[in-house]
Amino acid sequence: MNKLAIGIDIGGTNTDIGLVNPDGKVLQRRGLKTQEYDNSDRYIRDMAEAVRALMVENGLTEIAGVGIGAPNAHFDTGCIGANTANLRMKEEIPLCEKLGALLGLPVTLSNDADAAALGEHIYGGAKLMQHFVTITLGTGVGSGIFVDGRLIHGHGCMAGELGHAIVNPHSDRLCSCGRKGCLEMYASARGICQTYKELAAKGDLPDNFRGNELTCKDVGEMAVAGDALALKTYEVTAYWLAIGMANPRSAPRKPSSSWAVPPALAKRS
């Protein structure tokens, strides 16, 4: 059996498909535009075609298998759950079963942030760590948690959904999960774009970015060029991301004797 494998990263914007060696190096890749699909059968067929093309281009008749990271993925059932935020396909998707049948290969599925944490533990900066959290920033915000050297899945594989922790309870930003003020609405690509637009005076967006044409890449490039509004956008983004990242910290072993009710709360009581 060839030791090469296929790794697939399903994001809300793009789906990256790569041929990977045992050292975790991506040898060649193909991609799909995730947002172009509202039908999972067509999506899975195109995914299978991309895998076959990678195999043909590299003279492969067999590979070890396919590993997939996806939002709202359930490793125990091999399905992407119904009504997944950031995907247009809203039905439950039995991805392992259907893709495996098309390719005749073993297929494994995990939450995308969990898969990123596992990758860091095997190949990356968390090789020697037994306890750590990996946070992923993209179309959404995700997190994977390792405790005692083991990946924590939680009930329904929902452990570590940091992106849907509410950091601003007074926010009017409606998240795709249905709640307002989630970290994802500030630290994701779309959150960055929304912050930029809110900071800009009404009607004063650059001509190239009116409507929905502004992208996170645009904001990043403007920030690198020194644009004051873009730099302020990243300052705001960093503020909310820092709040989200500070929340999961371990509590002190003993409460401080000097602790007191914050004045704002004391007044309410």
Side-chain angles (χ1 to χ4, degrees):
M1 170 66 71
N2 196 297
K3 297 299 183 181
L4 299 180
I6 294 290
I8 301 178
D9 176 26
I10 297 176
T13 304
N14 298 302
T15 297
D16 291 321
I17 304 167
L19 180 66
V20 186
N21 70 12
D23 296 323
K25 182 179 179 181
V26 179
L27 305 177
Q28 190 176 346
R29 65 177 66 199
R30 287 195 167 220
L32 303 173
K33 296 291 185 182
T34 313
Q35 284 299 308
E36 291 182 358
Y37 296 90
D38 58 8
N39 180 288
S40 62
D41 286 335
R42 183 169 68 89
Y43 179 58
I44 295 171
R45 285 197 302 270
D46 287 355
M47 191 182 296
E49 283 301 315
V51 173
R52 293 192 192 101
L54 283 173
M55 293 177 65
V56 169
E57 290 167 7
N58 289 275
L60 301 172
T61 58
E62 58 180 17
I63 56 173
V66 180
I68 305 172
N72 197 17
H74 298 260
F75 84 98
D76 49 350
T77 65
C79 296
I80 296 177
N83 298 311
T84 298
N86 303 324
L87 294 184
R88 293 178 62 202
M89 300 166 284
K90 294 304 181 183
E91 72 276 21
E92 181 177 79
I93 305 172
L95 187 54
C96 289
E97 177 186 346
K98 289 191 173 183
L99 185 61
L102 287 173
L103 293 173
L105 292 168
V107 180
T108 301
L109 175 69
S110 183
N111 173 273
D112 49 359
D114 287 350
L118 184 61
E120 288 295 330
H121 189 58
I122 297 173
Y123 301 109
K127 268 187 177 182
L128 303 178
M129 297 181 184
Q130 298 299 301
H131 318 281
F132 67 93
V133 176
T134 297
I135 296 176
T136 58
L137 305 177
T139 305
V141 175
S143 55
I145 302 170
F146 261 77
V147 176
D148 292 328
R150 298 182 63 183
L151 181 64
I152 304 299
H153 293 287
H155 177 71
C157 298
M158 295 298 287
E161 289 292 339
L162 183 61
H164 297 292
I166 294 175
V167 294
N168 183 3
H170 306 295
S171 172
D172 60 357
R173 294 192 185 188
L174 181 63
C175 184
S176 52
C177 74
R179 303 193 299 176
K180 293 181 178 180
C182 292
L183 176 62
E184 186 164 296
M185 295 312 300
Y186 292 91
S188 67
R190 58 184 174 146
I192 289 171
C193 291
Q194 189 166 347
T195 297
Y196 183 92
K197 290 179 179 180
E198 288 180 0
L199 290 174
K202 289 184 178 180
D204 285 342
L205 276 173
D207 291 338
N208 292 340
F209 304 136
R210 295 189 185 279
N212 294 319
E213 296 180 11
L214 180 73
T215 68
C216 183
K217 181 181 179 182
D218 295 327
V219 179
E221 290 175 348
M222 288 188 290
V224 170
D227 178 81
L229 197 59
L231 291 170
K232 180 64 176 178
T233 296
Y234 277 101
E235 182 181 332
V236 171
T237 302
Y239 172 81
W240 291 114
L241 181 58
I243 288 178
M245 292 176 68
N247 278 336
R249 285 188 61 189
S250 299
R253 293 180 182 273
K254 294 181 180 179
S256 171
S257 59
S258 61
W259 186 89
V261 176
L265 295 181
K267 289 180 180 178
R268 294 180 187 177
S269 60

